[in-house]
Amino acid sequence: MLGKIKTKQEKSGEIVAYSETAVANNAAVVEYCKISMAALSGGTAGLLGLTVLYGFVFYVFAVFGLWAMLLMKAGGQWRKYFISRRHLLTSGFFGGLCVSFTLLSKVSL
């Protein structure tokens, strides 16, 4: 069974259609990447001895790095895969932060 089609009106007046199934799949893959990145950045920050503020800055740097790599991988056609760049950056931020700080506290020496 095919998923529903969602539409979005662009500023230019053009209507863009998105497959709900494809959008959900892309969101799941991105969420998996973000949680993995949060775990890796938390463990790395703990091994490097970065504490609360520096660990947070390291996590934010990792989030922006992953965001940039995802957009670079999508190329100039990112609108084909994601509805919004801002949503791609901000979704799952606090969940990943919890994972990162949990690992930071477990790994730090």
Side-chain angles (χ1 to χ4, degrees):
M1 181 173 140
L2 296 173
K4 295 181 180 179
I5 303 294
K6 290 186 175 184
T7 59
K8 176 182 171 185
Q9 180 125 8
E10 293 290 320
K11 293 178 184 176
S12 63
E14 181 181 332
I15 295 177
V16 179
Y18 293 96
S19 168
E20 190 174 303
T21 306
V23 169
N25 182 53
N26 290 345
V29 169
V30 168
E31 189 66 24
Y32 179 79
C33 290
K34 285 185 175 191
I35 294 298
S36 299
M37 180 272 313
L40 288 171
S41 68
T44 304
L47 288 173
L48 292 173
L50 303 175
T51 54
V52 180
L53 181 61
Y54 293 118
F56 176 74
V57 170
F58 188 79
Y59 171 72
V60 170
F61 177 73
V63 166
F64 275 104
L66 179 65
W67 181 64
M69 286 188 284
L70 287 171
L71 289 177
M72 202 172 2
K73 176 72 174 168
Q77 300 294 324
W78 65 267
R79 286 183 181 88
K80 288 174 61 176
Y81 308 105
F82 307 109
I83 294 175
S84 166
R85 286 187 294 183
R86 182 177 8 154
H87 180 70
L88 182 62
L89 175 64
T90 58
S91 68
F93 180 81
F94 291 109
L97 185 63
C98 291
V99 169
S100 180
F101 274 124
T102 301
L103 285 171
L104 174 69
S105 65
K106 301 286 184 199
V107 176
S108 55
L109 304 172

